[in-house]
Amino acid sequence: AAGGAAGAAPSPGCPRGDASSAEHRGDSRLFQHLTMKEEIQRLLVQFKDEGGAVLGSPFDVPIDITPDKLQLVCNVLLPKDDPLPLAFYVNESEIVTSLEKTLQDQQVETEKVIDIIYQPQAVFRVRAVTRCTSSLEGHTEAVISVAFSPSGRYLASGSGDTTVRFWDLTTETPHFTAKGHKHWVLSIAWSPDGKKLASGCKNSQIFIWDPSTGKQIGKVLTGHSKWITYLCWEPLHLNPQCRYLASASKDGSIRIWDTLLGRCDKILTSHTQSVTCVKWGGDGLLYSSSQDRTIKVWRAEDGVMCRTLQGHAHWVNTMALSTDYVLRTGAFEPAEATIVHRDRNDTLEELKHKALQRYEQTRGQGQERLVSGSDDFTLFLWKPAEDKKPLARMTGHQALINEVCFSPDTRLIASASFDKSVKLWDGKTGKYLASLRGHVSAVYQIAWSADSRLLASGSSDSTLKVWDVKAQKLSVDLPGHADEVYAVDWSPDGQRVVSGGKDKVLRIWRW
């Protein structure tokens, strides 16, 4: 071939520069099989989605093709009027500048067809919060929990002063103070339709509140003999009335409450110590974690225990479902969020349909995944509906794990620990990806932005930090609290982050 073999030693008639520039352009392994100069520039690639489904037939592309050009090719092949932004991967490495650059670090046989995995990204972008717009005073003791409603319209907080407070987000001022509890409010949970808030206290009572009036709905739910550790509502697509609520308690039991009738519907007992967390999955299963070192899987409809997940060597503190975010937001689609909230007048059927559609799209083909974090410094990834053996044991933290969260798109897991770090893991395999370091004390809580690109963390070092997940580095440092930050949430509409803690003040952060 004219010009000599690209990666081999130059032939006598070949100028020396050609071979060395080919060597220089990339790892020689890439070029050693190529004999035609033309072939250096072109490769056969096969596009596949995350599930491995093939898109079109193999495509002939130049080796220096950029992600933008790959996007154009996929836009033609994908049957969509409105193309989604895509990210492209070869063997789990993202193509950031060009295919050639990505292949340089990999031993890839370039005569074979190269698989390029495309991943749809969020259509919308959430901006990093950069400043504190309000310091909301009112609580007279530490703020223990904060939560935005599913659409981000309302904000609620629970405190050691025994009150639940609702805050007006339009003016960022106090709205209602809900009084009734006799002890610290340890847990709060919004119903997925955003019309009710449940709160549980150290006095083992559960109250239901109406956010539009701040008044109590129905009776106090009593029955647990020790304090309430966690609350979780039945998903909207299973029951658009948002009638049933699950509670976990230090008394070792889980109770399912009928909030319309104000009575306990079922008591689930099998744990031998305090239940730390309860999650109501989208396929009708309940998951509970406990200080007895186990996780139990229950059928919600009849309370039958399906299986026990064992593996942790110490208390299980925290759990997250891959579908948590879509279950939390119900029928609300963050991509359709508006600055000024529009009231929706959908019927229950319409709400149920929208929520089911969103759930099925997020969950995909497989079962929902569960990740658990423990005092034994490890995390386990499970497919709890199918198997009692874990998919992965995730090690690396040097201290107990406080909270674990799946990203809204289910692709990543973030964990917060007493070892001052936040760690990122692959949401499907549990593979370790990165450590986000910057806090100088324990990290208590984390919250994802709705587009899965940013992560906020609150720490006992009194700061809030916002991390750029793709770059795996600190985006914004937010000092301002006078003491430890116990609670953090990012509103599903992407507009605000809220934090609360020992200094009794809620801070609202915006861009």
Side-chain angles (χ1 to χ4, degrees):
S11 60
C14 163
R16 173 89 212 156
D18 261 21
S20 57
S21 67
E23 291 273 57
H24 180 70
R25 269 203 307 276
D27 189 324
S28 61
R29 278 184 308 235
L30 272 176
F31 300 102
Q32 64 195 4
H33 301 301
L34 300 177
T35 51
M36 298 287 287
K37 186 151 189 171
E38 287 304 301
E39 285 184 76
I40 295 170
Q41 275 104 24
R42 304 199 77 80
L43 291 174
L44 273 179
V45 300
Q46 175 66 68
F47 291 108
K48 291 185 175 178
D49 69 10
E50 289 169 278
V54 171
L55 176 68
S57 48
F59 230 82
D60 183 35
V61 298
I63 192 168
D64 58 0
I65 192 166
T66 61
D68 294 351
K69 298 276 196 318
L70 287 168
Q71 172 89 48
L72 292 173
V73 175
C74 277
N75 288 355
V76 175
L77 296 173
L78 287 165
K80 279 253 166 71
D81 308 336
D82 198 8
L84 283 170
L86 301 170
F88 299 95
Y89 293 81
V90 175
N91 295 335
E92 295 183 11
S93 298
E94 187 176 358
I95 302 171
V96 182
T97 48
S98 72
L99 178 57
E100 186 174 20
K101 278 264 192 315
T102 309
L103 291 176
Q104 272 175 18
D105 311 323
Q106 301 187 21
Q107 290 185 343
V108 177
E109 291 189 38
T110 47
E111 311 91 84
K112 291 189 176 165
V113 178
I114 291 170
D115 287 343
I116 295 184
I117 309 298
Y118 64 92
Q119 272 189 5
Q121 305 296 293
V123 191
F124 59 100
R125 240 174 213 286
V126 174
R127 288 165 65 176
V129 293
T130 55
R131 63 200 170 93
C132 179
T133 55
S134 300
S135 293
L136 303 175
E137 294 178 10
H139 283 298
T140 55
E141 289 293 335
V143 178
I144 299 169
S145 48
V146 293
F148 285 102
S149 64
S151 66
R153 177 174 184 172
Y154 298 110
L155 170 64
S157 57
S159 163
D161 65 9
T162 78
T163 67
V164 170
R165 284 178 182 255
F166 293 96
W167 308 86
D168 183 338
L169 288 174
T170 319
T171 55
E172 297 188 355
T173 54
H175 209 178
F176 304 113
T177 302
K179 293 179 178 171
H181 287 292
K182 307 276 192 294
H183 212 318
W184 305 343
V185 179
L186 300 175
S187 177
I188 59 175
W190 285 95
S191 60
D193 63 358
K195 292 180 178 164
K196 291 178 280 202
L197 179 91
S199 60
C201 71
K202 204 169 174 193
N203 212 23
S204 69
Q205 293 183 318
I206 299 164
F207 283 73
I208 313 288
W209 310 96
D210 179 345
S212 60
T213 62
K215 298 275 189 288
Q216 186 183 336
I217 302 171
K219 294 190 282 199
V220 182
L221 306 176
T222 54
H224 281 298
S225 57
K226 289 189 180 163
W227 65 74
I228 311 296
T229 54
Y230 209 90
L231 296 167
C232 187
W233 290 85
E234 183 177 16
L236 187 69
H237 69 266
L238 297 179
N239 186 346
Q241 287 181 305
C242 298
R243 180 170 180 170
Y244 294 98
L245 172 75
S247 61
S249 166
K250 193 173 163 59
D251 65 16
S253 73
I254 300 108
R255 285 177 179 247
I256 298 176
W257 305 88
D258 182 333
T259 60
L260 285 186
L261 300 178
R263 63 185 175 90
C264 179
D265 195 51
K266 291 179 192 69
I267 305 174
L268 313 181
T269 55
S270 181
H271 284 296
T272 55
Q273 287 187 47
S274 172
V275 183
T276 53
C277 183
V278 62
K279 296 278 180 183
W280 200 316
D283 297 324
L285 293 174
L286 277 169
Y287 309 99
S288 59
S289 61
S290 165
Q291 289 183 352
D292 68 10
R293 311 195 303 255
T294 69
I295 295 151
K296 293 189 186 284
V297 184
W298 316 78
R299 256 201 330 250
E301 58 179 352
D302 53 12
V304 170
M305 192 179 81
C306 307
R307 57 181 63 85
T308 300
L309 311 179
Q310 290 174 314
H312 282 298
H314 209 310
W315 297 351
V316 187
N317 296 324
T318 174
M319 292 188 300
L321 282 173
S322 54
T323 50
D324 269 346
Y325 204 84
V326 72
L327 294 178
R328 169 195 177 172
T329 46
F332 173 74
E333 177 51 69
E336 296 164 10
T338 50
I339 300 289
V340 179
H341 278 281
R342 295 190 304 256
D343 280 332
R344 295 179 61 138
N345 298 314
D346 297 344
T347 63
L348 289 180
E349 256 332 290
E350 287 168 338
L351 287 175
K352 181 178 179 174
H353 176 69
K354 183 83 194 281
L356 181 62
Q357 222 178 347
R358 293 188 65 236
Y359 171 72
E360 286 176 343
Q361 190 181 342
T362 301
R363 192 198 59 184
Q365 297 304 309
Q367 298 285 348
E368 49 196 357
R369 300 181 300 286
L370 178 82
V371 63
S372 55
S374 161
D375 264 28
D376 67 8
F377 309 175
T378 71
L379 299 129
F380 276 94
L381 183 62
W382 316 82
K383 273 201 170 164
E386 305 172 343
D387 198 355
K388 59 182 187 187
K389 288 201 286 291
L391 281 172
R393 180 170 183 257
M394 298 141 72
T395 58
H397 278 297
Q398 308 292 311
L400 67 86
I401 289 143
N402 266 322
E403 194 181 28
V404 60
C405 284
F406 269 93
S407 60
D409 65 12
T410 79
R411 290 183 189 133
L412 296 169
I413 294 165
S415 55
S417 164
F418 264 47
D419 68 8
K420 311 173 193 171
S421 78
V422 174
K423 292 193 190 296
L424 296 174
W425 317 79
D426 184 294
K428 287 202 167 63
T429 62
K431 185 180 143 195
Y432 167 77
L433 298 174
S435 288
L436 306 176
R437 298 194 181 278
H439 284 296
V440 294
S441 194
V443 187
Y444 288 137
Q445 253 197 350
I446 43 183
W448 286 92
S449 63
D451 64 356
S452 304
R453 290 185 175 104
L454 300 165
L455 184 69
S457 58
S459 160
S460 75
D461 67 10
S462 84
T463 71
L464 201 66
K465 295 191 195 301
V466 179
W467 309 88
D468 179 324
V469 173
K470 194 170 247 184
Q472 298 176 349
K473 65 178 201 302
L474 183 67
S475 176
V476 197
D477 194 9
L478 300 170
H481 279 284
D483 213 323
E484 305 187 36
V485 181
Y486 293 144
V488 181
D489 196 18
W490 202 313
S491 72
D493 64 8
Q495 289 186 51
R496 298 173 179 83
V497 169
V498 65
S499 56
K502 210 170 172 180
D503 65 2
K504 310 169 193 171
V505 175
L506 255 79
R507 288 184 181 270
I508 291 185
W509 311 84
R510 305 191 68 171
W511 24 267

